[in-house]
Amino acid sequence: MDTSIPTGSPEMDALQRAGAVALLEKGLGSVEAVEGPDGMEVDIFESIVAVHPGGALLTIFVDAPALEFAEDAVQSVTRELLERSELLAEWAVERCEARLHPQLAQESLDAADGPDTPPADAATRKAHHAARETAADGRNECDAEAEAKAARNRMLTMSAELRSFPPVMFGVLDPEDEDGGEGEDVEAGVRPEDARLAAGALVYGTHLLVDELFQDVQTLTQTRSNVTECERPLWLMEELPERYALEYDAHFALRFLVTAIAMTTRFTNGSFQQLGCLAEELALRLLLREASVSLETFGLMDEGVAVALEAFAENVYEDLDHEWLYDDSVGEIGEDAAGEAFGVTPMAIGSWFTPFNGGRYAHPYAMEASEDATQ
């Protein structure tokens, strides 16, 4: 659910955003169920509020007999919440999309067969579902263009949240280097608007990253299992290096979620300097994927934006040693003393949450849990 402040209003500052979060969370927390047609009730279990300068993104978990009932109920309760709040009364609901819970979605996939079966890859599957939902809704080309335009505007607005990274980090030519010679990098030609869209996609992807990791923590907690043994579908934890899948239980997922939040908080509050540990490198990998999938879903991923994201990744990553973890043919390189001969960062899972050096940041919760595990 996307909501926005009144048209023409100035963007919210930090204090106003904090107030909006409090009002929305309090309002949603007071609602347990919504009455639907024929006395049907739609139960509300959980809600996540993410506020940006131009409005808020709401994720609301409900139990409903059909997606259309869930969407109607969420729209109804949100509109009523806004109308009843004097400070939010003029806010508008821009977009509401109901998605099937991962477990139910997996049941549908298990029952499916034939050429139309959705792809197994999680990121591709999300884009595939989005495309099918668009077709199923009978939206015409004009509707798709309007949705893409609205998504573009949201991302451009959200780009201001990525305070730690100036345009040059996305490959925009520094004004002092505008007369650079033939040796300039390809990224130097990135347009400022493409850089803004890439930055906004990263903020948009941050909401998805936190939301989906939170759901994975819940799933692994409820099943008391790990990624290998879990019989329910997962959003992101299964995208981590497969060689350690047995280690990815609920506690590990919580530490990874906390690490992702710590990293993206530094991205948005202006304090980021360097990635602190290997877990942050892996979290950034997932974030870049979320941003790319979001752009592709709305048809916004053109060459300029793609180059901007590539430039961002090259500037934030100091090396790509973590990619060795995804190469099963590499074996144990980088996980013991042998890796030192190649200058490869230690990659044993016990070191993922340990700061690279004394000047790096790792969240105390994840780091202390890591230290406890080695004692």
mmCIF file of all heavy atoms in Angstrom, residues 237-246 248 256 278 282 285 322-328 349 352:
data_model
loop_
_atom_site.group_PDB
_atom_site.id
_atom_site.type_symbol
_atom_site.label_atom_id
_atom_site.label_comp_id
_atom_site.label_asym_id
_atom_site.label_seq_id
_atom_site.Cartn_x
_atom_site.Cartn_y
_atom_site.Cartn_z
ATOM 1 N N MET A 237 16.447 -15.673 2.138
ATOM 2 C CA MET A 237 17.489 -16.448 2.795
ATOM 3 C C MET A 237 18.033 -17.551 1.896
ATOM 4 O O MET A 237 19.201 -17.922 2.005
ATOM 5 C CB MET A 237 16.972 -17.044 4.109
ATOM 6 C CG MET A 237 16.706 -16.018 5.204
ATOM 7 S SD MET A 237 18.157 -14.995 5.588
ATOM 8 C CE MET A 237 19.283 -16.242 6.175
ATOM 9 N N GLU A 238 17.201 -18.061 1.005
ATOM 10 C CA GLU A 238 17.673 -19.099 0.101
ATOM 11 C C GLU A 238 18.556 -18.525 -1.008
ATOM 12 O O GLU A 238 19.128 -19.292 -1.804
ATOM 13 C CB GLU A 238 16.493 -19.855 -0.508
ATOM 14 C CG GLU A 238 15.555 -19.003 -1.332
ATOM 15 C CD GLU A 238 14.326 -19.769 -1.773
ATOM 16 O OE1 GLU A 238 14.203 -20.960 -1.405
ATOM 17 O OE2 GLU A 238 13.491 -19.192 -2.496
ATOM 18 N N GLU A 239 18.673 -17.184 -1.071
ATOM 19 C CA GLU A 239 19.540 -16.550 -2.054
ATOM 20 C C GLU A 239 20.973 -16.384 -1.538
ATOM 21 O O GLU A 239 21.849 -15.948 -2.287
ATOM 22 C CB GLU A 239 18.980 -15.174 -2.443
ATOM 23 C CG GLU A 239 17.595 -15.214 -3.049
ATOM 24 C CD GLU A 239 17.531 -16.072 -4.304
ATOM 25 O OE1 GLU A 239 18.450 -15.947 -5.137
ATOM 26 O OE2 GLU A 239 16.596 -16.871 -4.438
ATOM 27 N N LEU A 240 21.212 -16.701 -0.274
ATOM 28 C CA LEU A 240 22.569 -16.665 0.270
ATOM 29 C C LEU A 240 23.332 -17.894 -0.224
ATOM 30 O O LEU A 240 22.724 -18.854 -0.703
ATOM 31 C CB LEU A 240 22.523 -16.630 1.799
ATOM 32 C CG LEU A 240 21.940 -15.356 2.423
ATOM 33 C CD1 LEU A 240 21.904 -15.484 3.942
ATOM 34 C CD2 LEU A 240 22.726 -14.121 1.994
ATOM 35 N N PRO A 241 24.668 -17.895 -0.139
ATOM 36 C CA PRO A 241 25.458 -19.022 -0.640
ATOM 37 C C PRO A 241 24.927 -20.370 -0.162
ATOM 38 O O PRO A 241 24.788 -20.608 1.044
ATOM 39 C CB PRO A 241 26.858 -18.724 -0.099
ATOM 40 C CG PRO A 241 26.905 -17.233 -0.054
ATOM 41 C CD PRO A 241 25.531 -16.821 0.391
ATOM 42 N N GLU A 242 24.671 -21.267 -1.105
ATOM 43 C CA GLU A 242 24.030 -22.543 -0.792
ATOM 44 C C GLU A 242 24.887 -23.436 0.097
ATOM 45 O O GLU A 242 24.371 -24.263 0.848
ATOM 46 C CB GLU A 242 23.699 -23.267 -2.097
ATOM 47 C CG GLU A 242 22.895 -24.526 -1.916
ATOM 48 C CD GLU A 242 22.516 -25.168 -3.229
ATOM 49 O OE1 GLU A 242 22.857 -24.611 -4.291
ATOM 50 O OE2 GLU A 242 21.880 -26.244 -3.198
ATOM 51 N N ARG A 243 26.211 -23.260 0.027
ATOM 52 C CA ARG A 243 27.104 -24.151 0.777
ATOM 53 C C ARG A 243 26.861 -24.098 2.283
ATOM 54 O O ARG A 243 27.232 -25.021 3.013
ATOM 55 C CB ARG A 243 28.569 -23.812 0.476
ATOM 56 C CG ARG A 243 29.012 -22.440 0.947
ATOM 57 C CD ARG A 243 30.494 -22.213 0.649
ATOM 58 N NE ARG A 243 30.748 -22.146 -0.792
ATOM 59 C CZ ARG A 243 31.973 -22.210 -1.314
ATOM 60 N NH1 ARG A 243 33.009 -22.367 -0.531
ATOM 61 N NH2 ARG A 243 32.132 -22.111 -2.612
ATOM 62 N N TYR A 244 26.268 -23.005 2.778
ATOM 63 C CA TYR A 244 26.037 -22.874 4.219
ATOM 64 C C TYR A 244 24.545 -22.919 4.577
ATOM 65 O O TYR A 244 24.155 -22.492 5.670
ATOM 66 C CB TYR A 244 26.624 -21.559 4.729
ATOM 67 C CG TYR A 244 28.131 -21.525 4.767
ATOM 68 C CD1 TYR A 244 28.836 -20.535 4.089
ATOM 69 C CD2 TYR A 244 28.851 -22.479 5.485
ATOM 70 C CE1 TYR A 244 30.225 -20.494 4.128
ATOM 71 C CE2 TYR A 244 30.237 -22.447 5.521
ATOM 72 C CZ TYR A 244 30.915 -21.459 4.845
ATOM 73 O OH TYR A 244 32.285 -21.420 4.885
ATOM 74 N N ALA A 245 23.725 -23.422 3.684
ATOM 75 C CA ALA A 245 22.272 -23.380 3.889
ATOM 76 C C ALA A 245 21.832 -24.044 5.192
ATOM 77 O O ALA A 245 20.841 -23.634 5.809
ATOM 78 C CB ALA A 245 21.556 -24.029 2.700
ATOM 79 N N LEU A 246 22.545 -25.066 5.636
ATOM 80 C CA LEU A 246 22.192 -25.727 6.894
ATOM 81 C C LEU A 246 22.368 -24.807 8.097
ATOM 82 O O LEU A 246 21.758 -25.021 9.144
ATOM 83 C CB LEU A 246 23.038 -26.992 7.088
ATOM 84 C CG LEU A 246 22.634 -28.224 6.271
ATOM 85 C CD1 LEU A 246 23.714 -29.286 6.362
ATOM 86 C CD2 LEU A 246 21.296 -28.766 6.745
ATOM 87 N N TYR A 248 21.653 -21.552 8.109
ATOM 88 C CA TYR A 248 20.726 -20.425 8.064
ATOM 89 C C TYR A 248 19.421 -20.760 8.784
ATOM 90 O O TYR A 248 18.406 -21.067 8.175
ATOM 91 C CB TYR A 248 20.410 -20.031 6.618
ATOM 92 C CG TYR A 248 21.613 -19.770 5.734
ATOM 93 C CD1 TYR A 248 21.550 -20.017 4.368
ATOM 94 C CD2 TYR A 248 22.805 -19.265 6.258
ATOM 95 C CE1 TYR A 248 22.642 -19.773 3.540
ATOM 96 C CE2 TYR A 248 23.895 -19.021 5.442
ATOM 97 C CZ TYR A 248 23.816 -19.285 4.074
ATOM 98 O OH TYR A 248 24.884 -19.044 3.256
ATOM 99 N N PHE A 256 21.149 -11.594 10.357
ATOM 100 C CA PHE A 256 21.328 -11.048 9.009
ATOM 101 C C PHE A 256 20.372 -9.881 8.773
ATOM 102 O O PHE A 256 20.744 -8.875 8.158
ATOM 103 C CB PHE A 256 21.106 -12.145 7.966
ATOM 104 C CG PHE A 256 21.579 -11.763 6.592
ATOM 105 C CD1 PHE A 256 22.912 -11.896 6.238
ATOM 106 C CD2 PHE A 256 20.697 -11.270 5.650
ATOM 107 C CE1 PHE A 256 23.355 -11.535 4.975
ATOM 108 C CE2 PHE A 256 21.127 -10.898 4.385
ATOM 109 C CZ PHE A 256 22.470 -11.038 4.045
ATOM 110 N N LEU A 278 31.499 -9.089 6.010
ATOM 111 C CA LEU A 278 31.098 -9.865 4.844
ATOM 112 C C LEU A 278 29.576 -9.983 4.748
ATOM 113 O O LEU A 278 29.009 -9.990 3.648
ATOM 114 C CB LEU A 278 31.741 -11.260 4.902
ATOM 115 C CG LEU A 278 31.760 -12.022 3.582
ATOM 116 C CD1 LEU A 278 33.014 -12.876 3.482
ATOM 117 C CD2 LEU A 278 30.526 -12.914 3.430
ATOM 118 N N LEU A 282 27.066 -9.250 1.468
ATOM 119 C CA LEU A 282 26.014 -10.119 0.952
ATOM 120 C C LEU A 282 24.654 -9.426 0.994
ATOM 121 O O LEU A 282 23.824 -9.595 0.089
ATOM 122 C CB LEU A 282 25.971 -11.417 1.757
ATOM 123 C CG LEU A 282 27.219 -12.300 1.654
ATOM 124 C CD1 LEU A 282 27.110 -13.489 2.600
ATOM 125 C CD2 LEU A 282 27.442 -12.775 0.224
ATOM 126 N N ARG A 285 24.411 -7.171 -1.912
ATOM 127 C CA ARG A 285 24.139 -7.962 -3.116
ATOM 128 C C ARG A 285 22.634 -8.185 -3.280
ATOM 129 O O ARG A 285 22.084 -8.057 -4.380
ATOM 130 C CB ARG A 285 24.878 -9.303 -3.011
ATOM 131 C CG ARG A 285 24.897 -10.147 -4.281
ATOM 132 C CD ARG A 285 25.695 -11.422 -4.010
ATOM 133 N NE ARG A 285 26.022 -12.148 -5.218
ATOM 134 C CZ ARG A 285 25.263 -13.084 -5.777
ATOM 135 N NH1 ARG A 285 24.102 -13.388 -5.215
ATOM 136 N NH2 ARG A 285 25.643 -13.703 -6.880
ATOM 137 N N HIS A 322 33.513 -11.883 -1.983
ATOM 138 C CA HIS A 322 32.348 -12.635 -1.503
ATOM 139 C C HIS A 322 31.707 -13.475 -2.607
ATOM 140 O O HIS A 322 30.995 -14.441 -2.322
ATOM 141 C CB HIS A 322 31.298 -11.678 -0.925
ATOM 142 C CG HIS A 322 30.736 -10.723 -1.920
ATOM 143 N ND1 HIS A 322 31.346 -9.533 -2.239
ATOM 144 C CD2 HIS A 322 29.606 -10.776 -2.682
ATOM 145 C CE1 HIS A 322 30.635 -8.900 -3.151
ATOM 146 N NE2 HIS A 322 29.576 -9.629 -3.435
ATOM 147 N N GLU A 323 31.978 -13.146 -3.858
ATOM 148 C CA GLU A 323 31.404 -13.920 -4.967
ATOM 149 C C GLU A 323 31.959 -15.342 -5.005
ATOM 150 O O GLU A 323 31.334 -16.240 -5.571
ATOM 151 C CB GLU A 323 31.672 -13.222 -6.296
ATOM 152 C CG GLU A 323 30.931 -11.896 -6.483
ATOM 153 C CD GLU A 323 29.426 -12.085 -6.633
ATOM 154 O OE1 GLU A 323 28.992 -13.222 -6.908
ATOM 155 O OE2 GLU A 323 28.686 -11.098 -6.463
ATOM 156 N N TRP A 324 33.151 -15.533 -4.394
ATOM 157 C CA TRP A 324 33.697 -16.891 -4.344
ATOM 158 C C TRP A 324 32.740 -17.839 -3.626
ATOM 159 O O TRP A 324 32.711 -19.047 -3.901
ATOM 160 C CB TRP A 324 35.041 -16.891 -3.609
ATOM 161 C CG TRP A 324 36.187 -16.274 -4.342
ATOM 162 C CD1 TRP A 324 36.774 -15.074 -4.074
ATOM 163 C CD2 TRP A 324 36.903 -16.806 -5.460
ATOM 164 N NE1 TRP A 324 37.804 -14.824 -4.954
ATOM 165 C CE2 TRP A 324 37.901 -15.879 -5.811
ATOM 166 C CE3 TRP A 324 36.786 -17.994 -6.192
ATOM 167 C CZ2 TRP A 324 38.789 -16.096 -6.871
ATOM 168 C CZ3 TRP A 324 37.670 -18.207 -7.244
ATOM 169 C CH2 TRP A 324 38.648 -17.261 -7.582
ATOM 170 N N LEU A 325 31.960 -17.313 -2.695
ATOM 171 C CA LEU A 325 31.050 -18.164 -1.919
ATOM 172 C C LEU A 325 29.964 -18.776 -2.786
ATOM 173 O O LEU A 325 29.343 -19.777 -2.403
ATOM 174 C CB LEU A 325 30.403 -17.344 -0.792
ATOM 175 C CG LEU A 325 31.335 -16.932 0.349
ATOM 176 C CD1 LEU A 325 30.654 -15.906 1.252
ATOM 177 C CD2 LEU A 325 31.756 -18.156 1.162
ATOM 178 N N TYR A 326 29.697 -18.190 -3.937
ATOM 179 C CA TYR A 326 28.657 -18.696 -4.837
ATOM 180 C C TYR A 326 29.225 -19.647 -5.889
ATOM 181 O O TYR A 326 28.475 -20.179 -6.713
ATOM 182 C CB TYR A 326 27.950 -17.532 -5.535
ATOM 183 C CG TYR A 326 27.085 -16.723 -4.602
ATOM 184 C CD1 TYR A 326 27.609 -15.630 -3.913
ATOM 185 C CD2 TYR A 326 25.748 -17.064 -4.380
ATOM 186 C CE1 TYR A 326 26.821 -14.890 -3.046
ATOM 187 C CE2 TYR A 326 24.962 -16.330 -3.507
ATOM 188 C CZ TYR A 326 25.510 -15.244 -2.840
ATOM 189 O OH TYR A 326 24.734 -14.510 -1.967
ATOM 190 N N ASP A 327 30.535 -19.860 -5.863
ATOM 191 C CA ASP A 327 31.176 -20.750 -6.831
ATOM 192 C C ASP A 327 31.521 -22.065 -6.143
ATOM 193 O O ASP A 327 32.507 -22.164 -5.417
ATOM 194 C CB ASP A 327 32.436 -20.085 -7.387
ATOM 195 C CG ASP A 327 33.044 -20.874 -8.542
ATOM 196 O OD1 ASP A 327 32.631 -22.030 -8.759
ATOM 197 O OD2 ASP A 327 33.932 -20.325 -9.223
ATOM 198 N N ASP A 328 30.702 -23.085 -6.364
ATOM 199 C CA ASP A 328 30.908 -24.369 -5.691
ATOM 200 C C ASP A 328 32.202 -25.044 -6.117
ATOM 201 O O ASP A 328 32.702 -25.932 -5.417
ATOM 202 C CB ASP A 328 29.729 -25.304 -5.970
ATOM 203 C CG ASP A 328 28.449 -24.811 -5.325
ATOM 204 O OD1 ASP A 328 28.542 -24.093 -4.317
ATOM 205 O OD2 ASP A 328 27.346 -25.131 -5.835
ATOM 206 N N ILE A 349 31.809 -19.007 7.649
ATOM 207 C CA ILE A 349 30.559 -18.390 8.088
ATOM 208 C C ILE A 349 30.682 -17.770 9.481
ATOM 209 O O ILE A 349 29.995 -16.793 9.804
ATOM 210 C CB ILE A 349 29.400 -19.410 8.041
ATOM 211 C CG1 ILE A 349 28.064 -18.687 8.196
ATOM 212 C CG2 ILE A 349 29.599 -20.502 9.092
ATOM 213 C CD1 ILE A 349 26.866 -19.555 7.886
ATOM 214 N N TRP A 352 31.421 -13.959 9.205
ATOM 215 C CA TRP A 352 30.572 -13.092 8.382
ATOM 216 C C TRP A 352 30.165 -11.805 9.097
ATOM 217 O O TRP A 352 30.018 -10.762 8.473
ATOM 218 C CB TRP A 352 29.316 -13.839 7.950
ATOM 219 C CG TRP A 352 29.546 -14.813 6.838
ATOM 220 C CD1 TRP A 352 30.751 -15.308 6.422
ATOM 221 C CD2 TRP A 352 28.564 -15.411 6.008
ATOM 222 N NE1 TRP A 352 30.574 -16.188 5.388
ATOM 223 C CE2 TRP A 352 29.236 -16.280 5.114
ATOM 224 C CE3 TRP A 352 27.183 -15.340 5.951
ATOM 225 C CZ2 TRP A 352 28.567 -17.034 4.156
ATOM 226 C CZ3 TRP A 352 26.504 -16.090 5.002
ATOM 227 C CH2 TRP A 352 27.187 -16.922 4.115
#
